[in-house]
Amino acid sequence: MVHARRGSIGRYYDVNGWLFVAPVLGLIGLFMIYPIVWSLWMSFQSGRGMMMKFAGFANIVRLWNDPVFIKALTNTMTYFVVQVPIMIVLALILASILNNPRIFGRGLFRTAIFLPCVTSLVAYSVLFKGMFAPDGVVNSTLAALGVISSPIPWLTHPFWAKVLVIIAITWRWTGYNMIFYLAALQNIDRSIYEVARIDGVPAWARFTHITIPLLKPVILFTTVISTIGTLQLFDEVYNLTEGRGGPSNATLTLSLYIYNLTFRFMPNFGYAATVSYVIVVLVALLAFFQFFAARERDK
């Protein structure tokens, strides 16, 4: 009788547990699982709205015959290869400098470096357009220093427009990664450095053989997060180029191309969903490779 009562109590708590998590599971299913399944189904469709029709693998074949997609993919991978290492290394250097308690006003510097992360995108884009205009402060300063003889066409030349996007991303998100490194550095036991210093280990060797190994989990985390953010890059390009990805698609990214396919030009929801799954595959492959590489180094 006691066992029967315990069994009924267990079933009671099981039911109540499921009732407790049911709203959360419903929201996850509605706003995460359903969109994923529906977008996967849409990737095999063509057209928009009521005019969508089943296209099979035609969208996948179309990808490799679409020069705009190839350009967007090339640009996105360029940002990944160039910008992510710069941002990770720069954030680590800044964190190492600001971790020194002898630096005066380091709290102010930390705030100033992190501030771009929480800056309004509208204010951010207006600031950069003004700074990098032909008669902006950047060109004026470079001309005054004798570095350039004529203004650099930051917003109208394909190469310089891409450089400007990389500068904008780095300026905005380096502080975000720096905070993680700074927190990790402050948690390292100072006695480890003291012992190494007493043994005569130089500063650079302490950094490469003590600091870097102890920061490996944080470096992996920031690398994966930065990779995901770069592959999904949209805001900076949209605001700096007014949604065009110009000039001549020189700064167009996969996310901006998805937006254009969905809301501009000749909308094709099915093809846009196919392009979005290219980002999903890239993120999954690169994240797996980064985790695998980190695991191999730890062996």
Side-chain angles (χ1 to χ4, degrees):
M1 198 166 175
V2 174
H3 290 294
R5 184 176 300 175
R6 286 178 179 174
S8 62
I9 292 175
R11 287 192 296 271
Y12 171 79
Y13 282 112
D14 286 342
V15 171
N16 279 272
W18 282 110
L19 290 175
F20 181 77
V21 300
V24 177
L25 293 176
L27 291 174
I28 292 175
L30 180 62
F31 294 105
M32 292 185 64
I33 307 301
Y34 172 74
I36 291 173
V37 174
W38 180 245
S39 63
L40 181 61
W41 170 249
M42 283 181 61
S43 66
F44 295 97
Q45 310 287 318
S46 180
R48 58 173 179 166
M50 300 299 294
M51 297 182 291
M52 293 188 67
K53 58 182 180 179
F54 185 76
F57 294 97
N59 288 329
I60 299 176
V61 175
R62 178 182 171 183
L63 287 175
W64 311 113
N65 298 316
D66 182 0
V68 180
F69 166 77
I70 299 298
K71 184 67 174 177
L73 178 62
T74 303
N75 291 340
T76 302
M77 296 308 297
T78 300
Y79 294 139
F80 163 69
V81 172
V82 176
Q83 184 264 333
V84 171
I86 292 175
M87 188 166 60
I88 296 299
V89 172
L90 183 58
L92 182 56
I93 292 173
L94 291 172
S96 300
I97 294 173
L98 294 177
N99 190 46
N100 188 346
R102 290 176 293 181
I103 294 180
F104 176 76
R106 60 176 183 158
L108 178 63
F109 287 116
R110 283 199 300 261
T111 303
I113 295 171
F114 182 74
L115 189 61
C117 300
V118 293
T119 303
S120 166
L121 280 174
V122 176
Y124 160 81
S125 59
V126 170
L127 174 65
F128 258 74
K129 285 181 179 179
M131 288 175 58
F132 290 89
D135 57 347
V137 64
V138 174
N139 279 328
S140 299
T141 302
L142 293 176
L145 295 174
V147 178
I148 59 174
S149 57
S150 59
I152 297 176
W154 294 101
L155 296 169
T156 57
H157 189 278
F159 173 77
W160 291 112
K162 197 170 294 182
V163 172
L164 177 57
V165 171
I166 293 173
I167 293 173
I169 305 168
T170 304
W171 178 80
R172 189 172 185 215
W173 294 113
T174 296
Y176 178 81
N177 290 326
M178 181 198 71
I179 295 298
F180 290 104
Y181 290 131
L182 197 54
L185 286 169
Q186 292 174 351
N187 283 323
I188 296 177
D189 189 352
R190 305 307 300 177
S191 62
I192 300 176
Y193 293 105
E194 292 299 329
V195 171
R197 191 179 294 109
I198 293 172
D199 289 343
V201 179
W204 176 249
R206 292 198 300 269
F207 181 77
T208 55
H209 295 286
I210 297 176
T211 304
I212 296 297
L214 291 176
L215 290 181
K216 275 185 178 181
V218 182
I219 293 173
L220 176 62
F221 171 77
T222 54
T223 302
V224 172
I225 292 298
S226 300
T227 297
I228 295 172
T230 303
L231 293 178
Q232 295 178 340
L233 180 62
F234 175 83
D235 296 335
E236 286 79 3
V237 178
Y238 181 86
N239 283 281
L240 290 173
T241 65
E242 298 179 355
R244 295 191 299 269
S248 302
N249 293 329
T251 59
L252 183 69
T253 62
L254 290 174
S255 294
L256 184 56
Y257 188 40
I258 293 169
Y259 171 83
N260 290 337
L261 286 170
T262 307
F263 301 107
R264 304 178 67 188
F265 310 141
M266 292 293 290
N268 189 327
F269 296 167
Y271 187 52
T274 304
V275 178
S276 70
Y277 271 92
V278 173
I279 298 179
V280 172
V281 172
L282 286 175
V283 168
L285 290 176
L286 290 173
F288 173 80
F289 173 77
Q290 289 164 353
F291 276 108
F292 179 78
R295 185 177 179 182
E296 286 298 312
R297 285 196 298 267
D298 290 336
K299 288 183 178 181

